[in-house]
Amino acid sequence: KLDLEFVEARSDYDGGITRDDGTFIGFSALTKDIFKRVEANLGYCFNNIGGLPLDLIGYTGLGYRFWRRNLAFGLPVDYIEDYSWEYVPLGIRWEYSFGRRWTAALDIAAQFMFGGNLNVLEQFGNPSFDLGSVIGIKAAVPVTFEFSEPWMLSLEPWYQVSGIEQSNPVTAQN
């Protein structure tokens, strides 16, 4: 299975920057965010568990996530953060068929993050931060309707937590 994701959105940021002397400069801004994700998985399917139209699929793979946050969107300065990390998903999926055309599933995976990095662009000398290796989770409930082979429509609401550790301190250059 190969998943590709691209999302562009706006959000409210309420935070700030801590100076070398420990003083905190708070600010709020409207951000412009870009999210990208690629994930490839390989698994094994146990069909018709207990004689029911229920399949159990265990899987693992490799994923990459990227998040660009433009904190100065609409302001006269540029402050752009690029977050990126790789992860290994380890998941299980229960899939139930309702007749020939409908299926619903519960898909739960742990995501073992590595190579996490944050780069600040345009300002402060382009510092880079290590984001650590935290375990994230993803849960999804996909529902699929098959019109005719090979045509189908699938809707997949999901919830995901990607953990990021506190980064190493870096002295900003201006």
Side-chain angles (χ1 to χ4, degrees), residues 41-60:
N41 292 316
L42 183 65
Y44 186 80
C45 182
F46 297 94
N47 293 311
N48 300 319
I49 303 297
L52 299 170
L54 175 66
D55 297 338
L56 177 63
I57 305 162
Y59 64 90
T60 189

Side-chain angles (χ1 to χ4, degrees), residues 38-157:
V38 176
E39 183 176 319
N41 292 316
L42 183 65
Y44 186 80
C45 182
F46 297 94
N47 293 311
N48 300 319
I49 303 297
L52 299 170
L54 175 66
D55 297 338
L56 177 63
I57 305 162
Y59 64 90
T60 189
L62 186 62
Y64 172 77
R65 185 169 275 290
F66 173 85
W67 170 27
R68 170 166 281 180
R69 178 165 66 175
N70 184 342
L71 287 167
F73 179 66
L75 299 176
V77 296
D78 288 327
Y79 184 82
I80 298 171
E81 297 175 336
D82 281 350
Y83 296 81
S84 63
W85 61 90
E86 291 83 29
Y87 61 93
V88 173
L90 182 60
I92 191 162
R93 178 180 175 121
W94 296 271
E95 191 170 283
Y96 190 84
S97 296
F98 298 92
R100 289 187 25 184
R101 296 182 179 255
W102 288 96
T103 60
L106 174 62
D107 190 335
I108 299 173
Q111 296 178 329
F112 298 90
M113 176 181 145
F114 64 95
N117 194 41
L118 162 61
N119 292 310
V120 177
L121 308 176
E122 308 295 334
Q123 294 287 327
F124 311 112
N126 298 334
S128 186
F129 304 88
D130 178 13
L131 298 178
S133 299
V134 179
I135 298 174
I137 59 165
K138 182 177 180 183
V141 183
V143 177
T144 304
F145 177 76
E146 185 177 323
F147 295 103
S148 64
E149 245 191 79
W151 300 102
M152 66 181 75
L153 174 67
S154 185
L155 300 175
E156 185 172 318

